[in-house]
Amino acid sequence: MDFTFTEEQQAAVEAARAVFSDVAPDGAPSPALTPGAVAEDIDRQLWHELARTDLLGLTLAPDHGGAGLDPIALCLVLRESAKVLARVPLLESCAVAMAIERYGDRTLAAELLPRAGRGELILTVGANGRSGHDPAELAVSARPYGEDSGASDGSGDSGTADGEAGGSARGSGWVLDGVQSAVPWAQAADWIAVPAHTAGGRPVLALVPRTRDGVTLADQVSTNGERLAEVRLEAVRVEARELIDAAGCWDWLRSLLTTGTCALALGLGERVLAMTAEYTGKREQFGFPVATFQAVAVQAADRYIDLRAMEATLWQAAWRISTATGGPLPAAGDVAVAKIWASDGVRRVVQTAQHLHGGFGADTDYPLHRYHAWAKQIELSLGPAAAHEEALGDLLAAHPLG
């Protein structure tokens, strides 16, 4: 299998490295020493620099001021961002923009996407549902204007695309009720993409301005000390064009978010292993660098194998969702495999790094503990390995390999 990157993709990597080279992983207070969130806002200076170098519009079409590249290019940039623990909603904003461009209303896309590419507008998405254990779309209900909010038997909603789209086509719009928990960077975002379900059980994706009436945010804090939000929607009205009811939209966006999370795990793991190699190459015992001891070398080699498996499965998943190429399993199967490796692999990498660094790894003046906290957040984001193993099992049961 040939995962050679195109010249355009390689150019995106070089541009990303140049931007992130000035970012210090310890630019924010340590999550181990900070009660609550480490900062109130994203890294605005970095966000503006990403916009200046056209990396925010990397995957948008030229009509919207972008470079027209694919999710693979986005994953390459995300990989570089994780090496410096970049505190920006790069994954969320770019992924939502791609979903709007691919499935959304053309006039809304023309209004939002050029501004998103210029960094003037930030997008995020609620992908964790109420608790993080159930499908996110089940946490929010969407009903046409005028429909009784207590109706749950499907009355007034045909449960078909034609019937639901017909209600919105008459200009009635939609009403949203529910909660999305742990929404990343929500306080800094201008628009929040909210997965929801209709009375007929069909998933849709609503695009909601953060300041819309009925939207309230409650602060939450992530494992890595970043500010999250519980987004509560109470009779929030959205226009017909602000709700994407195209079949497959939410599934595609969730797959892209999951694949992007795998790219973050890979970049973080690669940086942590490099830190470990540097430290064990200098730290001496009995007159020799500890890196020359067989027990140390074997553990580091095992983590290198983890990273190569994470890399191979990441590019397989990114290629499937970029090209819509068929296979023995749907693309969701490749995404699940990538997330299984990313979740387990990044955990093993940081645990081994902590072990090989000894007590130095827990020193809050040294950045390794920050990478450990971010790795745990990434490991559990959008489902831990066990959740994706279950999803993969369901896919294998539904698509037996003969």
Side-chain angles (χ1 to χ4, degrees), residues 188-236:
D190 299 287
W191 289 69
I192 303 172
V194 179
H197 68 280
T198 66
R202 196 162 56 85
V204 294
L205 185 69
L207 304 169
V208 185
R210 176 176 51 82
T211 56
R212 181 70 52 88
D213 289 345
V215 176
T216 57
L217 274 60
D219 280 358
Q220 296 176 318
V221 181
S222 66
T223 301
N224 58 354
E226 295 301 331
R227 197 176 178 203
L228 306 177
E230 178 189 78
V231 178
R232 185 172 296 273
L233 304 105
E234 296 182 359
V236 175

Side-chain angles (χ1 to χ4, degrees), residues 250-331:
W250 169 237
D251 288 340
W252 184 86
L253 175 55
R254 182 176 174 84
S255 291
L256 178 57
L257 290 168
T258 306
T259 304
T261 302
C262 296
L264 294 172
L266 176 61
L268 186 149
E270 289 176 328
R271 178 62 190 132
V272 166
L273 189 60
M275 292 169 62
T276 305
E278 181 180 2
Y279 176 79
T280 57
K282 295 179 179 178
R283 177 77 166 88
E284 291 189 358
Q285 285 185 354
F286 312 112
F288 297 94
V290 296
T292 62
F293 299 167
Q294 186 178 33
V296 173
V298 167
Q299 290 183 70
D302 285 343
R303 301 295 77 83
Y304 176 82
I305 293 171
D306 276 334
L307 290 173
R308 297 291 69 78
M310 290 165 62
E311 184 176 20
T313 54
L314 163 64
W315 300 132
Q316 172 72 10
W319 173 68
R320 287 293 303 277
I321 64 175
S322 296
T323 63
T325 302
L329 289 178

